[in-house]
Amino acid sequence: MKIATFNINGIKARMGALTDWLTQSAPDIALLQEIKSVDEAFPRAHFEDLGYSVHTHGQKGFNGVAIMSKLPLEDITMGLPGDAEDEQARWIEATVVGKQAVRLCGLYLPNGNPCPGPKYDYKLAWMERLEARATALLAEETPFLLAGDYNIIPQDEDAARPDAWREDALARPESRAAFRRLLNLGLTEAFRTRKNGPGHYSFWDYQAGAWNRNDGIRIDHFLLSPDCADLLRDCWIEAEVRGREKPSDHVPVWVDLDL
């Protein structure tokens, strides 16, 4: 089963590009971020015609996450537990059943800039809630994955110019420490099981020719529970999508699970 995570940076702006990608690359399941649309305005019928069921947790003009699946999904829920007053649409969950059930958690983690400040405080608090949710899922002993735009550069090798990111919320020590706490729960960072070293990126800014200079960062990740990691066959970044017409500033990251 091939599952991709993709920050599309706006469904209205990326409708054609997303359609082409789904048609050409044909993921079984796509976890999307930054749909930037309320649920009722999302063009779900168009994607249902392509063979996908569509489930969204949207927000007007900002954020928003979605799951598109060619396979039946169960127990679909929206919103990261832990803060009843949080109105930002950044989390969606569902269960897919293949050879066994796997819980899919799609996330769009807060950027956190400028920092320090309230946006960074929100980012770190959100990551505490994410850690609590991962801990709860581990206790349930159902295989699960946490996938999406983490807005975290885990290590210096995940940026073409690490010094340029030292004081950014994506690479500050507190952000990286929170990411490591997730790994220390026993989760596996799927991409690094297949590729080591620098030069692997999932985001390039639109400005200053970043794509042409390969001035990128790796901030889109799959974290797998131990039982889910046992199902992993491969993980890769589909970087060539960045060179297509009207691209997002992110590219898809994939896992192939024996499911």
Side-chain angles (χ1 to χ4, degrees), residues 9 160 165 199-207 209-220 237-243 247-252:
N9 193 17
W165 297 90
H200 306 288
Y201 311 126
S202 64
F203 171 92
W204 296 260
D205 195 278
Y206 288 126
Q207 305 300 317
W211 166 248
N212 292 328
R213 295 185 291 109
N214 199 25
D215 183 11
I217 53 178
R218 192 175 70 90
I219 57 176
D220 302 87
I237 298 172
E238 193 180 6
E240 59 269 24
V241 172
R242 186 62 167 80
S248 172
D249 42 9
H250 294 251
V251 296

Side-chain angles (χ1 to χ4, degrees), residues 109-124 127 150-154 164-179 217 219:
L109 207 148
N111 178 285
N113 285 303
C115 64
K119 290 187 176 181
Y120 193 55
D121 294 341
Y122 173 65
K123 181 190 186 92
L124 296 179
M127 295 192 75
Y150 279 72
N151 272 313
I152 297 287
I153 303 168
W165 297 90
R166 296 289 179 208
E167 298 304 317
D168 193 281
L170 278 64
R172 282 181 64 92
E174 300 91 341
S175 302
R176 288 179 166 180
F179 189 83
I217 53 178
I219 57 176

Side-chain angles (χ1 to χ4, degrees), residues 34-70:
E34 277 203 280
I35 62 173
K36 299 181 181 179
S37 170
V38 294
D39 295 334
E40 54 269 27
F42 193 89
R44 65 186 66 245
H46 171 79
F47 296 104
E48 289 170 350
D49 288 344
L50 297 179
Y52 289 92
S53 64
V54 180
H55 308 275
T56 62
H57 179 35
Q59 183 177 345
K60 185 176 182 179
F62 298 94
N63 305 324
V65 288
I67 300 178
M68 294 185 177
S69 179
K70 291 183 176 180

